[in-house]
Amino acid sequence: MKISKEAAMETSQVTDRIWMFRFPVGQAYAVRLPDDSWALVDTGLPGYAQQILTALRGLGAAPGDLREIVLTHSHGDHTGSAAALAAATGARVLAGADDAPVIRGDVPEPPPAFLDWEVPLFESVHELVPELAHTTVTCPVDGELADGDTLDWGEAATVVHVPGHTAGGIALHLPASGVLFTGDTIANVQQLMPGVFNTDRPQLFDSFRRQAALDVETACFGHGDPLVGGAGKALRAVAAALD
């Protein structure tokens, strides 16, 4: 089975300010800022820019209202529509400093160090979305983010460097709202767990533990349903069981 680029994107509300866009593989988040501008955390697969813009219009956002696109890491199911969205809206694209050269296309994507059980799962994902295997997804990056940097989203959105899935992966922590965007370092697919297809699994576990210690109420993942309410407690329970 192969997924067409025209497959429908699903939109659902997470909190009063956050909406999730779910694609055949992966998801992204739209955040309404207090001045009625918008930010995106990731952009999903290639070919979904128009569906994202249509969804934003349905939420009352004109294309020019999209201010920032933050990419949690360099994989194509998260960066795929970034270039088209930036061109259509004028939004600036931000990414972790160590992943930015990959996103720009200056250096190749480092391959994951697969566990045996991950190989058939990886192959099944690429069978569903073959462009991820055969298309290099690149996008200009306007700003490189480092650990501790903050974005002004009407409250501080703090950058947390969370390597392991990729070298330059980042999470975004909004302490005032108790919200965490984890990218693919954490997943909630059938169960809450560390992400898969990682470049450095022990490093990923350290990144998981660091995010669990933030004690957030809401966690938004790159794959799987968000946790709304008590997310920090749930993350700490999993972190305590990591080898």
Side-chain angles (χ1 to χ4, degrees), residues 57-97:
R57 288 189 190 96
L59 298 172
D65 293 334
L66 182 60
R67 189 173 89 192
E68 290 179 339
I69 298 168
V70 179
L71 301 175
T72 61
H73 63 289
S74 55
H75 291 163
D77 57 329
H78 294 261
T79 66
S81 290
L85 285 166
T89 65
R92 64 175 185 155
V93 177
L94 309 174

Side-chain angles (χ1 to χ4, degrees), residues 5-154:
K5 288 185 180 182
E6 289 73 35
M9 178 190 82
E10 299 177 5
T11 301
S12 58
Q13 189 165 4
V14 180
T15 72
D16 60 342
R17 293 179 50 206
I18 300 170
W19 285 259
M20 181 175 71
F21 301 149
R22 177 168 280 165
F23 309 94
V25 173
Q27 51 216 33
Y29 296 89
V31 183
R32 183 176 59 206
L33 307 182
D35 63 359
D36 289 329
S37 64
W38 289 75
L40 277 179
V41 180
D42 292 328
T43 66
L45 295 164
Y48 279 86
Q50 288 306 312
Q51 288 197 43
I52 291 171
L53 290 172
T54 297
L56 287 171
R57 288 189 190 96
L59 298 172
D65 293 334
L66 182 60
R67 189 173 89 192
E68 290 179 339
I69 298 168
V70 179
L71 301 175
T72 61
H73 63 289
S74 55
H75 291 163
D77 57 329
H78 294 261
T79 66
S81 290
L85 285 166
T89 65
R92 64 175 185 155
V93 177
L94 309 174
D98 291 336
D99 273 12
V102 178
I103 295 168
R104 292 189 181 106
D106 295 335
V107 299
E109 180 82 64
F114 292 113
L115 300 176
D116 288 345
W117 65 267
E118 292 179 326
V119 174
L121 178 61
F122 185 81
E123 292 173 347
S124 69
V125 169
H126 280 222
E127 181 182 354
L128 286 172
V129 191
E131 60 265 30
L132 289 179
H134 304 299
T135 303
T136 300
V137 180
T138 63
C139 177
V141 176
D142 302 303
E144 298 185 6
L145 300 173
D147 189 65
D149 286 349
T150 58
L151 306 176
D152 181 6
W153 284 7

